[in-house]
Amino acid sequence: MTTGSADTNLLSMRMLHLGLRVSDLERSLAFYTAIGYATVGTVPDTAFGSLTMLQLPGDPFVSLELVHDPARPVQDIGAVNHLVVQVDDLAGTIDELASRGIVAEPPAELGAGMRTSWLTDPDGYRIELVQWPPGHPAGMTAADFVQ
C-alpha cells in the first residue's frame, strides 16, 4: 500500500458522498434505514433517475445517495468493493441490527483493537462495520499505515 500526500497546489477538496445504484428503492430504503441512515431529501427526476440522500446520525453531512431508475436495475456490483461505516459499539450494533432482521457476520479482530463485521445490502453490496480502538481518530489517516 502506498502513502503520500495530495498535491498541495489543488484547491481544497473533500469526499462528499457515494451514489449507489439500487434496483428496488423501497427495499433498499428499508435496509439502509434499518442500519441507521435517515432520509435527508430526494430529487425525483434526474438523468440518473431518482436520488435519495441519506445521512447517519451524528454525521454533519449526507454520505450516501441511492440512485434508482426502474429502467436501469443493478446488473453488476463489481465496481464497488465495499462501503465502510464506523460504529462505536460493534457488538451492540450487531445485536440491534439482528433485532431489525439484518444479519451481520461474526465480528473479527484486526489487531491493535480494531474490530469489523460485514453486512450485505439487498443488491449485494458489501458493508463493513468498523469499531476503532479507544483513542483512534474518527477516520483513517496516514498513521494507520506506518510500519
Side-chain angles (χ1 to χ4, degrees):
M1 188 173 295
T2 61
T3 61
S5 60
D7 183 342
T8 56
N9 294 325
L10 293 176
L11 297 174
S12 177
M13 296 180 176
R14 72 181 300 273
M15 172 74 177
L16 290 181
H17 63 268
L18 174 68
L20 195 63
R21 184 164 296 284
V22 298
S23 294
D24 181 327
L25 182 59
E26 294 309 314
R27 183 179 67 170
S28 292
L29 273 173
F31 176 85
Y32 283 101
T33 56
I35 67 170
Y37 281 93
T39 301
V40 173
T42 61
V43 182
D45 297 309
T46 76
F48 302 115
S50 70
L51 310 177
T52 304
M53 308 303 180
L54 303 178
Q55 180 178 5
L56 285 167
D59 271 0
F61 306 108
V62 165
S63 59
L64 185 60
E65 171 185 83
L66 300 182
V67 180
H68 178 251
D69 180 347
R72 294 188 286 177
V74 174
Q75 296 177 341
D76 179 12
I77 61 166
V80 174
N81 188 283
H82 65 286
L83 309 174
V84 182
V85 175
Q86 179 184 336
V87 300
D88 292 330
D89 175 6
L90 187 60
T93 299
I94 291 170
D95 289 345
E96 180 61 30
L97 291 173
S99 76
R100 298 175 185 183
I102 296 175
V103 178
E105 294 177 10
E109 186 86 24
L110 297 183
M114 181 178 159
R115 301 180 68 222
T116 68
S117 178
W118 292 84
L119 312 170
T120 302
D121 91 345
D123 284 298
Y125 295 111
R126 299 283 287 157
I127 301 165
E128 181 183 18
L129 303 176
V130 173
Q131 178 184 325
W132 295 118
H136 190 282
M140 191 176 283
T141 69
D144 290 306
F145 302 98
V146 176
Q147 297 186 26

